[in-house]
Amino acid sequence: KNEVEQSPQNLTAQEGEFITINCSYSVGISALHWLQQHPGGGIVSLFMLSSGKKKHGRLIATINIQEKHSSLHITASHPRDSAVYICAVRDQKLVFGQGTRLTINP
Amino acid sequence: NAGVTQTPKFRILKIGQSMTLQCAQDMNHNYMYWYRQDPGMGLKLIYYSVGAGITDKGEVPNGYNVSRSTTEDFPLRLELAAPSQTSVYFCASTIGNAVGAFFGQGTRLTVV
């Protein structure tokens, strides 16, 4: 069993829809990261969480430490949000989920 | 510009050749990582370092070596390249819980 599990693996939605991507982990962590990887391959850090909730523009990330679960939400989704979203947890090393491939159709 | 600098961006190696992928960060981050990403797959940890002079194996260390003689640099060495090492390699760094993870641009390596 992977230490970090993401769901869904693939998600296709229409522009404007509210998107939720989930991440569950089985190890003790000091921080959880949400990352975005565009088709060109570059990886960008979106959020780092150790508790509660963070918001940046249309993106919201939450974490429940007791339940070992985090969610990434995208409001008013847009085709430019199409990317792979990756959850990673860190104690000493960063361990990645498999990623969620999001496609937003116009 | 502050960040993670990874070189080269592209490389083609012949089977049995060796090379070093360079990674440098200027943010004084103590944690540095090397990952590989095979087509359509997630990131797999090769090696990581929690500070100068300290390195440790990740999930897929075989065929690779690393060193961390300074805080800034974390080179990845491939000895006797094999086709199975064809992949995209990413270097990353983090520090504490105050900031996110920073990634290099990636190195696309093909072994033929």
Side-chain angles (χ1 to χ4, degrees), chain A residues 5-66:
Chain A
E5 295 278 355
Q6 276 184 247
S7 63
Q9 290 189 347
N10 292 283
L11 178 57
T12 300
Q14 290 300 120
E15 184 173 356
E17 286 189 37
F18 182 80
I19 303 299
T20 296
I21 299 170
N22 295 301
C23 175
S24 295
Y25 53 92
S26 58
V27 295
I29 67 169
S30 59
L32 182 142
H33 299 260
W34 281 103
L35 308 158
Q36 182 190 56
Q37 185 173 30
H38 274 281
I43 299 173
V44 176
S45 179
L46 298 174
F47 294 103
M48 192 193 69
L49 297 162
S50 53
S51 65
K53 175 180 174 179
K54 287 189 176 179
K55 184 176 189 292
H56 185 248
R58 294 180 294 106
L59 300 177
I60 303 166
T62 63
I63 188 169
N64 185 317
I65 298 292
Q66 287 73 31

Side-chain angles (χ1 to χ4, degrees), chain B residues 9-102:
Chain B
K9 289 185 181 178
F10 303 94
R11 184 71 185 268
I12 298 174
L13 280 182
K14 292 184 178 178
I15 293 172
Q17 287 186 319
S18 301
M19 75 165 293
T20 299
L21 279 68
Q22 301 291 345
C23 178
Q25 51 89 12
D26 57 2
M27 299 170 284
N28 204 32
H29 285 180
N30 49 342
Y31 293 90
M32 295 188 75
Y33 312 84
W34 274 107
Y35 295 90
R36 60 176 286 174
Q37 186 177 37
D38 298 331
M41 304 294 286
L43 290 148
K44 291 188 182 295
L45 181 63
I46 305 171
Y47 270 96
Y48 69 103
S49 169
V50 301
I54 306 169
T55 62
D56 211 343
K57 295 178 181 179
E59 297 174 75
V60 290
N62 292 341
Y64 308 94
N65 277 299
V66 293
S67 60
R68 185 93 182 271
S69 56
T70 66
T71 299
E72 293 78 18
D73 299 299
F74 191 42
L76 177 72
R77 179 81 178 161
L78 279 74
E79 305 281 2
L80 299 175
S84 61
Q85 293 178 305
T86 294
S87 190
V88 179
Y89 292 82
F90 288 97
C91 177
S93 72
T94 66
I95 181 170
N97 288 334
V99 298
F102 290 77

